[in-house]
Coordinates of all heavy atoms in Angstrom, one line a residue:
M1 N 34.1 19.8 -25.2 CA 34.7 20.2 -26.5 C 35.4 19.2 -27.2 O 36.4 18.6 -26.6 CB 35.4 21.5 -26.3 CG 35.8 22.2 -27.7 SD 36.5 23.8 -27.5 CE 35.1 24.7 -27.0
V2 N 35.1 18.8 -28.4 CA 35.8 17.8 -29.2 C 36.7 18.4 -30.1 O 36.4 19.4 -30.8 CB 34.8 16.9 -30.0 CG1 35.5 15.8 -30.7 CG2 33.7 16.3 -29.1
R3 N 37.9 18.0 -30.2 CA 39.0 18.5 -31.1 C 39.6 17.3 -31.9 O 40.1 16.4 -31.2 CB 40.0 19.3 -30.4 CG 40.9 19.9 -31.4 CD 42.0 20.7 -30.6 NE 42.6 21.6 -31.5 CZ 42.5 22.9 -31.4 NH1 42.0 23.4 -30.4 NH2 43.1 23.7 -32.3
R4 N 39.4 17.3 -33.1 CA 40.0 16.3 -33.9 C 41.5 16.8 -34.0 O 41.7 17.9 -34.3 CB 39.4 16.1 -35.2 CG 38.1 15.5 -35.2 CD 37.4 15.7 -36.6 NE 36.0 15.4 -36.6 CZ 35.5 14.3 -36.9 NH1 36.1 13.3 -37.4 NH2 34.1 14.1 -36.8
R5 N 42.3 15.8 -33.9 CA 43.8 16.1 -34.2 C 44.0 16.1 -35.7 O 43.3 15.3 -36.3 CB 44.7 15.0 -33.4 CG 44.7 15.2 -32.0 CD 45.4 14.0 -31.4 NE 45.7 14.4 -30.0 CZ 46.9 14.9 -29.7 NH1 47.8 15.3 -30.6 NH2 47.1 15.3 -28.4
G6 N 45.0 16.7 -36.2 CA 45.4 16.6 -37.5 C 44.7 17.5 -38.4 O 44.0 18.5 -38.0
I7 N 44.9 17.3 -39.7 CA 44.4 18.3 -40.7 C 43.4 17.5 -41.7 O 43.7 16.2 -42.0 CB 45.7 18.8 -41.5 CG1 46.4 19.7 -40.5 CG2 45.1 19.6 -42.7 CD1 47.8 20.1 -41.0
Y8 N 42.4 18.1 -42.0 CA 41.3 17.4 -42.8 C 40.9 18.2 -44.1 O 41.0 19.3 -44.1 CB 40.1 17.3 -42.0 CG 40.2 16.4 -40.8 CD1 40.8 17.0 -39.6 CD2 40.0 15.0 -40.8 CE1 41.1 16.2 -38.4 CE2 40.3 14.3 -39.7 CZ 40.8 14.9 -38.7 OH 41.1 14.0 -37.6
E9 N 40.7 17.4 -45.1 CA 39.9 17.9 -46.2 C 38.5 17.5 -45.9 O 38.1 16.6 -45.4 CB 40.3 17.2 -47.5 CG 41.6 17.6 -47.9 CD 42.2 17.0 -49.2 OE1 41.4 16.3 -49.8 OE2 43.3 17.3 -49.6
V10 N 37.5 18.6 -46.1 CA 36.2 18.5 -45.7 C 35.2 18.6 -46.8 O 35.4 19.4 -47.7 CB 36.0 19.6 -44.7 CG1 34.6 19.5 -44.0 CG2 37.0 19.6 -43.6
N11 N 34.1 17.7 -46.8 CA 33.0 17.9 -47.7 C 31.8 18.3 -46.8 O 31.5 17.7 -45.9 CB 32.7 16.4 -48.3 CG 33.4 16.2 -49.6 OD1 34.2 17.0 -50.0 ND2 33.0 15.1 -50.2
V12 N 31.2 19.4 -47.3 CA 29.9 19.9 -46.8 C 28.8 19.5 -47.8 O 28.9 20.1 -48.8 CB 30.0 21.2 -46.4 CG1 28.7 21.7 -45.7 CG2 31.2 21.4 -45.4
L13 N 27.8 18.8 -47.3 CA 26.7 18.5 -48.3 C 27.3 17.9 -49.6 O 26.8 18.3 -50.7 CB 25.7 19.6 -48.5 CG 25.1 20.1 -47.2 CD1 24.3 21.5 -47.4 CD2 24.1 19.0 -46.8
G14 N 28.3 17.1 -49.6 CA 28.8 16.5 -50.8 C 29.6 17.4 -51.6 O 30.2 17.0 -52.7
K15 N 29.9 18.6 -51.2 CA 30.8 19.5 -51.9 C 32.1 19.6 -51.2 O 32.0 20.0 -50.0 CB 30.1 20.9 -52.2 CG 29.1 20.8 -53.2 CD 28.6 22.2 -53.6 CE 27.4 22.1 -54.4 NZ 26.5 23.2 -54.4
S16 N 33.2 19.7 -51.9 CA 34.5 19.9 -51.3 C 34.5 21.4 -50.8 O 34.3 22.3 -51.5 CB 35.5 19.6 -52.3 OG 36.7 20.2 -51.9
L17 N 35.0 21.5 -49.5 CA 35.1 22.8 -48.8 C 36.4 23.5 -49.4 O 37.4 23.0 -49.1 CB 35.0 22.7 -47.4 CG 35.0 24.0 -46.6 CD1 33.7 24.9 -46.8 CD2 35.1 23.7 -45.2
T18 N 36.3 24.8 -49.8 CA 37.6 25.5 -50.1 C 37.4 26.7 -49.3 O 36.4 27.4 -49.2 CB 37.8 25.8 -51.5 OG1 36.5 26.1 -52.1 CG2 38.3 24.6 -52.3
C19 N 38.5 27.3 -48.9 CA 38.6 28.6 -48.2 C 38.2 29.8 -49.2 O 38.7 29.8 -50.4 CB 40.0 28.8 -47.7 SG 40.3 30.4 -47.0
L20 N 37.4 30.7 -48.7 CA 36.8 31.7 -49.5 C 38.0 32.8 -49.8 O 37.9 33.5 -50.8 CB 35.8 32.5 -48.8 CG 34.5 31.8 -48.6 CD1 33.6 32.6 -47.7 CD2 33.9 31.4 -49.9
F21 N 39.1 32.7 -49.1 CA 40.2 33.7 -49.2 C 41.4 33.3 -49.9 O 41.8 34.0 -50.7 CB 40.5 34.3 -47.8 CG 39.5 35.0 -47.0 CD1 38.6 34.4 -46.3 CD2 39.3 36.4 -47.4 CE1 37.5 35.0 -45.6 CE2 38.2 37.1 -46.7 CZ 37.3 36.4 -45.9
C22 N 41.7 32.1 -49.7 CA 43.0 31.6 -50.3 C 42.9 30.4 -51.0 O 43.8 29.8 -51.7 CB 44.1 31.4 -49.2 SG 43.9 29.9 -48.3
Q23 N 41.6 29.9 -51.2 CA 41.2 28.6 -52.0 C 41.9 27.4 -51.4 O 41.9 26.4 -52.1 CB 41.7 28.8 -53.5 CG 41.2 30.1 -54.0 CD 39.7 30.2 -54.2 OE1 39.0 29.3 -54.4 NE2 39.3 31.4 -53.7
G24 N 42.5 27.6 -50.3 CA 42.9 26.3 -49.5 C 41.9 25.4 -49.3 O 40.7 25.6 -49.1
N25 N 42.3 24.1 -49.2 CA 41.2 23.0 -48.9 C 41.6 22.1 -47.7 O 41.1 21.0 -47.7 CB 41.0 22.3 -50.2 CG 42.1 21.3 -50.6 OD1 43.2 21.5 -50.2 ND2 41.8 20.4 -51.4
Q26 N 42.5 22.6 -46.8 CA 42.8 21.8 -45.7 C 42.6 22.6 -44.4 O 42.9 23.8 -44.4 CB 44.3 21.4 -45.8 CG 44.4 20.6 -47.0 CD 46.0 20.0 -47.1 OE1 46.8 20.4 -46.3 NE2 46.2 19.1 -48.0
F27 N 41.9 22.0 -43.5 CA 41.3 22.7 -42.4 C 41.7 22.0 -41.0 O 41.8 20.6 -41.1 CB 39.9 22.8 -42.5 CG 39.5 23.5 -43.7 CD1 39.2 22.9 -44.8 CD2 39.2 24.9 -43.6 CE1 38.8 23.7 -46.0 CE2 38.8 25.6 -44.7 CZ 38.7 24.9 -45.9
R28 N 41.8 22.7 -40.0 CA 41.8 22.1 -38.6 C 40.4 22.2 -38.1 O 39.7 23.1 -38.4 CB 42.8 22.9 -37.8 CG 44.2 22.7 -38.0 CD 45.1 23.5 -37.1 NE 46.5 23.5 -37.7 CZ 47.3 22.5 -37.6 NH1 47.0 21.4 -37.0 NH2 48.5 22.5 -38.2
H29 N 40.1 21.2 -37.3 CA 38.7 21.1 -36.7 C 38.6 21.2 -35.3 O 39.4 20.8 -34.5 CB 38.2 19.7 -37.1 CG 36.9 19.4 -36.6 ND1 36.7 18.6 -35.3 CD2 35.6 19.9 -36.8 CE1 35.5 18.6 -35.0 NE2 34.8 19.2 -35.9
R30 N 37.5 21.8 -34.8 CA 37.2 21.9 -33.4 C 35.6 22.0 -33.3 O 35.0 22.5 -34.2 CB 37.8 23.2 -33.0 CG 37.8 23.5 -31.5 CD 38.9 24.6 -31.2 NE 38.6 25.9 -31.9 CZ 37.8 26.8 -31.4 NH1 37.4 26.7 -30.1 NH2 37.6 27.9 -32.1
E31 N 35.1 21.3 -32.3 CA 33.7 21.5 -32.1 C 33.4 22.5 -31.0 O 34.1 22.6 -30.0 CB 33.2 20.2 -31.7 CG 31.8 19.9 -31.8 CD 31.3 18.5 -31.7 OE1 31.2 17.9 -32.8 OE2 31.0 18.0 -30.5
V32 N 32.4 23.4 -31.2 CA 32.1 24.5 -30.4 C 30.8 24.5 -30.0 O 29.8 24.2 -30.9 CB 32.4 25.8 -31.2 CG1 32.0 27.0 -30.4 CG2 33.7 25.9 -31.7
Y33 N 30.5 24.6 -28.7 CA 29.0 24.6 -28.2 C 28.7 26.0 -27.8 O 29.4 26.8 -27.3 CB 29.0 23.7 -27.0 CG 29.4 22.4 -27.2 CD1 30.6 21.8 -26.6 CD2 28.7 21.5 -28.0 CE1 31.0 20.6 -26.9 CE2 29.1 20.2 -28.3 CZ 30.4 19.8 -27.7 OH 30.8 18.5 -28.0
M34 N 27.5 26.4 -28.2 CA 26.9 27.6 -27.8 C 25.6 27.6 -27.3 O 24.7 26.9 -27.7 CB 26.9 28.5 -29.1 CG 28.0 29.3 -29.5 SD 27.8 30.3 -30.9 CE 29.4 30.1 -31.7
D35 N 25.4 28.3 -26.1 CA 24.0 28.3 -25.6 C 23.4 29.6 -26.2 O 23.7 30.7 -26.0 CB 24.1 28.5 -24.1 CG 24.6 27.2 -23.4 OD1 24.3 26.1 -24.1 OD2 25.3 27.3 -22.4
L36 N 22.1 29.3 -26.7 CA 21.4 30.4 -27.3 C 20.1 30.4 -26.4 O 19.3 29.5 -26.3 CB 21.0 30.2 -28.7 CG 22.1 30.4 -29.7 CD1 21.4 30.5 -31.0 CD2 22.8 31.7 -29.4
Q37 N 19.7 31.7 -25.9 CA 18.5 31.8 -25.2 C 17.6 32.9 -26.0 O 17.9 34.0 -25.9 CB 18.7 32.3 -23.8 CG 17.5 32.1 -22.9 CD 17.7 32.4 -21.4 OE1 18.8 32.7 -21.1 NE2 16.9 32.0 -20.7
P38 N 16.6 32.3 -26.7 CA 15.8 33.2 -27.5 C 15.2 34.3 -26.6 O 14.8 34.0 -25.4 CB 14.7 32.3 -28.2 CG 15.2 30.9 -28.0 CD 16.2 31.0 -26.8
L39 N 15.1 35.5 -27.1 CA 14.5 36.6 -26.3 C 13.3 36.4 -25.7 O 12.3 35.8 -26.4 CB 14.4 37.8 -27.3 CG 14.9 39.2 -26.7 CD1 16.3 39.2 -26.2 CD2 14.7 40.3 -27.6
G40 N 13.0 36.5 -24.4 CA 11.7 36.4 -23.8 C 11.4 34.9 -23.3 O 10.3 34.6 -22.9
Q41 N 12.4 34.0 -23.7 CA 12.1 32.5 -23.4 C 13.0 32.1 -22.2 O 14.2 32.6 -22.2 CB 12.3 31.7 -24.7 CG 11.2 31.9 -25.6 CD 11.3 30.9 -26.8 OE1 11.8 29.9 -26.6 NE2 10.9 31.4 -27.9
K42 N 12.6 31.2 -21.5 CA 13.4 30.6 -20.4 C 14.3 29.4 -20.7 O 15.2 29.0 -20.0 CB 12.6 30.3 -19.2 CG 11.8 31.6 -18.6 CD 11.7 31.4 -17.1 CE 11.4 32.7 -16.5 NZ 10.1 33.2 -16.8
V43 N 13.8 28.8 -21.9 CA 14.7 27.7 -22.3 C 15.9 28.1 -23.0 O 15.9 29.1 -23.7 CB 13.8 26.8 -23.2 CG1 12.8 26.1 -22.5 CG2 13.3 27.6 -24.4
T44 N 16.9 27.2 -22.8 CA 18.2 27.5 -23.5 C 18.4 26.4 -24.5 O 18.2 25.2 -24.2 CB 19.4 27.5 -22.5 OG1 19.0 28.4 -21.5 CG2 20.7 27.9 -23.1
N45 N 18.7 26.8 -25.7 CA 19.1 25.7 -26.7 C 20.6 25.7 -26.8 O 21.3 26.7 -27.0 CB 18.5 26.1 -28.0 CG 17.1 26.1 -28.1 OD1 16.5 25.3 -27.4 ND2 16.5 27.1 -28.8
Q46 N 21.1 24.5 -26.6 CA 22.6 24.4 -27.0 C 22.8 23.9 -28.4 O 22.1 22.9 -28.9 CB 23.2 23.3 -26.1 CG 24.7 23.5 -26.1 CD 25.5 22.5 -25.2 OE1 25.3 21.3 -25.4 NE2 26.2 23.0 -24.3
L47 N 23.5 24.7 -29.0 CA 23.8 24.4 -30.5 C 25.1 24.0 -30.5 O 26.1 24.5 -29.9 CB 23.6 25.7 -31.4 CG 22.2 26.3 -31.4 CD1 22.2 27.5 -32.2 CD2 21.2 25.1 -31.9
T48 N 25.5 23.1 -31.4 CA 26.8 22.5 -31.7 C 27.3 23.0 -33.2 O 26.5 22.8 -34.1 CB 26.8 21.1 -31.6 OG1 26.3 20.6 -30.4 CG2 28.3 20.5 -31.8
F49 N 28.4 23.6 -33.1 CA 29.0 24.0 -34.5 C 30.2 23.3 -34.6 O 31.0 23.0 -33.8 CB 29.2 25.4 -34.5 CG 28.0 26.3 -34.5 CD1 27.5 26.8 -33.2 CD2 27.3 26.6 -35.6 CE1 26.3 27.5 -33.2 CE2 26.2 27.4 -35.6 CZ 25.7 27.8 -34.4
Q50 N 30.5 23.0 -35.9 CA 31.8 22.5 -36.3 C 32.6 23.7 -36.9 O 32.4 24.3 -37.9 CB 31.8 21.4 -37.5 CG 30.7 20.3 -37.2 CD 31.0 19.6 -35.9 OE1 32.1 19.2 -35.5 NE2 29.9 19.4 -35.0
S51 N 33.7 23.9 -36.2 CA 34.5 25.1 -36.5 C 35.7 24.5 -37.3 O 36.6 23.7 -36.9 CB 35.1 25.8 -35.2 OG 36.2 26.5 -35.5
L52 N 35.9 25.2 -38.5 CA 37.0 24.7 -39.4 C 37.8 25.8 -39.7 O 37.4 26.9 -40.2 CB 36.4 24.2 -40.7 CG 35.5 22.8 -40.5 CD1 34.7 22.7 -41.7 CD2 36.4 21.7 -40.1
T53 N 39.1 25.7 -39.5 CA 40.2 26.8 -39.6 C 41.0 26.4 -40.8 O 41.7 25.4 -40.8 CB 40.9 27.0 -38.3 OG1 40.0 27.2 -37.3 CG2 41.9 28.2 -38.5
C54 N 41.1 27.3 -41.7 CA 42.1 27.1 -42.9 C 43.5 27.0 -42.4 O 43.9 27.9 -41.7 CB 41.9 28.3 -43.9 SG 43.0 28.1 -45.3
T55 N 44.2 25.9 -42.9 CA 45.6 25.8 -42.4 C 46.6 26.9 -43.1 O 47.6 27.1 -42.6 CB 46.1 24.4 -42.7 OG1 46.0 24.2 -44.1 CG2 45.4 23.4 -41.9
S56 N 46.1 27.4 -44.2 CA 47.1 28.4 -44.9 C 46.8 29.8 -44.4 O 47.8 30.4 -44.1 CB 46.8 28.4 -46.4 OG 46.5 27.1 -46.8
C57 N 45.6 30.2 -44.2 CA 45.5 31.7 -43.9 C 44.8 31.8 -42.6 O 44.6 33.1 -42.1 CB 44.7 32.4 -45.0 SG 42.9 32.1 -45.1
G58 N 44.2 30.9 -42.0 CA 43.7 31.0 -40.7 C 42.3 31.4 -40.6 O 41.6 31.6 -39.6
D59 N 41.7 31.6 -41.8 CA 40.2 32.0 -41.8 C 39.3 30.9 -41.2 O 39.5 29.7 -41.4 CB 39.7 32.1 -43.3 CG 38.3 32.6 -43.3 OD1 37.9 33.7 -42.7 OD2 37.5 31.9 -43.9
N60 N 38.3 31.3 -40.4 CA 37.6 30.3 -39.7 C 36.1 30.3 -40.2 O 35.6 31.4 -40.3 CB 37.7 30.6 -38.2 CG 36.8 29.9 -37.3 OD1 35.7 30.1 -37.1 ND2 37.3 28.6 -37.0
R61 N 35.6 29.1 -40.3 CA 34.2 29.0 -40.6 C 33.5 28.1 -39.6 O 34.1 27.1 -39.3 CB 34.0 28.6 -42.1 CG 34.5 29.6 -43.1 CD 34.6 29.0 -44.4 NE 33.2 29.1 -45.1 CZ 33.0 28.6 -46.3 NH1 33.9 28.0 -47.0 NH2 31.8 28.5 -46.8
M62 N 32.1 28.3 -39.4 CA 31.4 27.4 -38.6 C 30.2 26.8 -39.3 O 29.5 27.5 -40.0 CB 31.0 28.2 -37.3 CG 32.2 28.7 -36.6 SD 32.1 28.4 -34.9 CE 31.2 29.7 -34.4
F63 N 30.1 25.5 -39.1 CA 29.0 24.8 -39.8 C 28.1 24.1 -38.7 O 28.7 23.6 -37.7 CB 29.5 23.7 -40.7 CG 30.2 24.4 -41.9 CD1 31.5 24.5 -41.9 CD2 29.4 24.7 -43.1 CE1 32.2 25.2 -42.9 CE2 30.1 25.4 -44.1 CZ 31.4 25.5 -44.0
Q64 N 26.8 24.0 -38.9 CA 26.0 23.2 -38.0 C 25.9 21.8 -38.7 O 25.4 21.8 -39.8 CB 24.7 23.9 -37.8 CG 24.3 23.8 -36.3 CD 23.0 24.5 -36.1 OE1 22.6 25.4 -36.8 NE2 22.3 24.0 -35.1
E65 N 26.2 20.7 -38.0 CA 26.1 19.5 -38.7 C 24.8 19.0 -38.5 O 24.0 19.2 -37.6 CB 27.2 18.5 -37.9 CG 27.3 17.2 -38.6 CD 28.5 16.5 -37.9 OE1 28.9 16.9 -36.8 OE2 29.1 15.6 -38.5
K66 N 24.3 18.3 -39.7 CA 23.0 17.7 -39.7 C 23.0 16.3 -40.2 O 24.0 15.9 -40.9 CB 22.0 18.7 -40.7 CG 21.8 20.0 -40.3 CD 20.9 20.5 -41.4 CE 21.3 22.1 -41.6 NZ 21.1 22.5 -42.8
E67 N 21.9 15.6 -39.9 CA 21.7 14.4 -40.6 C 21.1 14.6 -41.8 O 20.0 15.2 -41.8 CB 20.8 13.4 -39.7 CG 21.5 13.1 -38.3 CD 22.4 11.9 -38.6 OE1 21.8 10.8 -38.7 OE2 23.6 12.0 -38.3
I68 N 21.6 14.0 -42.9 CA 20.9 14.1 -44.2 C 20.7 12.7 -44.7 O 21.4 11.9 -44.4 CB 21.7 15.0 -45.2 CG1 23.1 14.6 -45.5 CG2 21.7 16.5 -44.7 CD1 23.8 15.1 -46.5
L69 N 19.8 12.7 -45.7 CA 19.6 11.4 -46.4 C 20.5 11.2 -47.5 O 20.5 12.0 -48.5 CB 18.1 11.3 -46.9 CG 17.5 9.9 -47.2 CD1 17.6 9.0 -46.0 CD2 16.1 10.1 -47.8
H70 N 21.3 10.2 -47.4 CA 22.3 9.9 -48.6 C 21.5 9.5 -49.8 O 20.6 8.7 -49.8 CB 23.3 8.8 -48.2 CG 24.4 8.7 -49.1 ND1 24.3 7.8 -50.1 CD2 25.6 9.3 -49.1 CE1 25.6 8.0 -50.8 NE2 26.2 8.8 -50.1
Q71 N 21.9 10.1 -51.0 CA 21.1 9.9 -52.1 C 21.0 8.5 -52.7 O 20.1 8.0 -53.1 CB 21.6 10.9 -53.3 CG 21.1 12.3 -53.0 CD 21.7 13.3 -54.0 OE1 22.6 12.9 -54.8 NE2 21.1 14.4 -54.1
T72 N 22.1 7.8 -52.7 CA 22.2 6.5 -53.2 C 21.9 5.4 -52.2 O 21.1 4.4 -52.6 CB 23.5 6.2 -54.0 OG1 24.6 6.7 -53.1 CG2 23.6 6.9 -55.2
S73 N 22.4 5.5 -51.0 CA 22.3 4.4 -50.1 C 21.0 4.6 -49.2 O 20.6 3.7 -48.5 CB 23.5 4.4 -49.1 OG 23.5 5.4 -48.2
E74 N 20.4 5.9 -49.2 CA 19.2 6.2 -48.5 C 19.4 5.9 -47.0 O 18.4 5.6 -46.3 CB 18.1 5.5 -49.0 CG 17.8 5.8 -50.5 CD 16.4 5.5 -51.0 OE1 15.7 4.7 -50.4 OE2 16.0 6.2 -52.1
K75 N 20.6 6.1 -46.6 CA 20.8 6.1 -45.1 C 21.0 7.5 -44.6 O 21.4 8.4 -45.4 CB 22.1 5.3 -44.7 CG 22.0 3.8 -44.9 CD 23.3 3.1 -44.5 CE 23.3 1.7 -45.0 NZ 24.6 1.3 -45.3
Q76 N 20.7 7.7 -43.3 CA 21.0 8.9 -42.7 C 22.6 9.1 -42.5 O 23.3 8.2 -41.9 CB 20.3 9.0 -41.3 CG 18.9 9.1 -41.4 CD 18.3 10.4 -41.9 OE1 18.9 11.6 -41.6 NE2 17.2 10.4 -42.6
V77 N 23.0 10.1 -43.1 CA 24.5 10.4 -42.9 C 24.7 11.8 -42.5 O 23.9 12.6 -42.6 CB 25.3 10.1 -44.2 CG1 25.3 8.6 -44.7 CG2 24.7 11.1 -45.3
S78 N 26.0 12.0 -42.0 CA 26.3 13.5 -41.5 C 26.5 14.4 -42.8 O 26.9 13.9 -43.8 CB 27.5 13.5 -40.8 OG 27.9 14.7 -40.6
S79 N 26.1 15.6 -42.7 CA 26.2 16.6 -43.7 C 27.7 16.9 -44.0 O 28.0 17.6 -44.9 CB 25.4 17.9 -43.5 OG 25.7 18.4 -42.3
I80 N 28.6 16.6 -42.9 CA 29.9 17.0 -43.1 C 30.8 15.7 -43.0 O 30.6 14.9 -42.1 CB 30.3 17.8 -41.9 CG1 29.4 19.2 -41.8 CG2 31.8 18.4 -42.1 CD1 29.6 20.0 -40.7
E81 N 31.6 15.6 -44.1 CA 32.5 14.4 -43.9 C 34.0 14.9 -44.0 O 34.3 16.0 -44.5 CB 32.4 13.7 -45.4 CG 31.0 13.1 -45.5 CD 31.0 12.5 -46.9 OE1 31.5 13.1 -47.9 OE2 30.3 11.5 -47.1
Y82 N 34.8 14.2 -43.1 CA 36.1 14.6 -42.9 C 37.1 13.5 -43.5 O 36.9 12.3 -43.4 CB 36.5 14.7 -41.4 CG 35.6 15.7 -40.7 CD1 34.4 15.2 -40.2 CD2 36.0 17.0 -40.6 CE1 33.6 16.1 -39.4 CE2 35.2 17.9 -39.9 CZ 34.0 17.4 -39.3 OH 33.2 18.3 -38.7
T83 N 38.1 14.0 -44.2 CA 39.2 13.1 -44.8 C 40.4 13.5 -44.2 O 40.8 14.7 -44.5 CB 39.1 13.0 -46.4 OG1 37.8 12.8 -46.7 CG2 40.0 12.0 -46.8
E84 N 41.1 12.7 -43.4 CA 42.3 13.2 -42.8 C 43.4 13.3 -43.8 O 43.5 12.3 -44.7 CB 42.7 12.3 -41.7 CG 44.0 12.9 -40.9 CD 44.2 12.3 -39.6 OE1 43.6 11.2 -39.3 OE2 45.0 12.7 -39.0
V85 N 44.2 14.3 -43.8 CA 45.4 14.5 -44.7 C 46.5 13.9 -44.1 O 46.8 14.4 -42.9 CB 45.5 16.0 -45.0 CG1 46.6 16.2 -46.0 CG2 44.2 16.6 -45.7
I86 N 47.1 13.0 -44.7 CA 48.3 12.4 -44.1 C 49.6 13.2 -44.5 O 49.8 13.5 -45.5 CB 48.6 11.0 -44.7 CG1 47.3 10.1 -44.3 CG2 49.8 10.3 -43.9 CD1 46.9 9.8 -43.0
Q87 N 50.2 13.7 -43.4 CA 51.3 14.6 -43.7 C 52.7 13.8 -43.5 O 52.8 12.9 -42.7 CB 51.3 15.6 -42.5 CG 50.2 16.5 -42.8 CD 50.3 17.8 -42.2 OE1 50.7 18.1 -41.2 NE2 50.3 18.9 -43.2
E88 N 53.6 14.1 -44.4 CA 54.8 13.3 -44.5 C 55.8 14.0 -43.7 O 55.8 15.2 -43.6 CB 55.1 13.0 -45.9 CG 54.0 12.5 -46.7 CD 54.4 11.8 -47.9 OE1 55.5 11.9 -48.4 OE2 53.5 11.0 -48.5
Ligands
ZN1 ZN1 42.6 30.1 -46.4

């Protein structure tokens, strides 16, 4: 499990992420792994989620990170971008 230290402002698919409950835009990050076994199948898929917890109200959201094609540079980039918030 990967855990980024600190607090982040997060962009998902190029849009700034805001909390649905308090409109906060600062989050703590944690990476979560889940094993999913589709019904009737023997294979297990491991899925990775980026768990983001609002620093003001504690609401938690999970995203699946993907590679997307950046519109201007045409490179593969992550769908989730993190900008660390420097605290004084
Ligand atoms: Zn919140």
Side-chain angles (χ1 to χ4, degrees):
M1 187 172 288
V2 178
R3 185 184 198 116
R4 289 169 195 261
R5 289 171 163 272
I7 293 171
Y8 294 86
E9 291 181 1
V10 184
N11 266 10
V12 178
L13 294 172
K15 286 187 189 156
S16 157
L17 182 69
T18 42
C19 175
L20 294 174
F21 293 93
C22 75
Q23 311 300 315
N25 67 344
Q26 298 187 352
F27 299 88
R28 289 183 193 281
H29 170 262
R30 193 159 58 91
E31 195 164 272
V32 178
Y33 304 110
M34 269 182 219
D35 288 330
L36 284 194
Q37 191 168 15
L39 220 59
Q41 290 185 29
K42 293 214 164 71
V43 286
T44 306
N45 294 325
Q46 191 179 62
L47 298 181
T48 305
F49 292 94
Q50 310 304 317
S51 160
L52 296 166
T53 305
C54 174
T55 55
S56 328
C57 75
D59 182 58
N60 178 264
R61 295 170 75 183
M62 301 229 273
F63 295 90
Q64 227 179 331
E65 193 164 19
K66 292 182 218 154
E67 295 273 298
I68 55 168
L69 196 62
H70 191 269
Q71 286 180 345
T72 45
S73 70
E74 302 202 339
K75 285 184 196 150
Q76 293 287 327
V77 294
S78 167
S79 57
I80 307 177
E81 295 171 325
Y82 302 90
T83 308
E84 186 163 10
V85 178
I86 309 296
Q87 298 208 299
E88 311 200 346

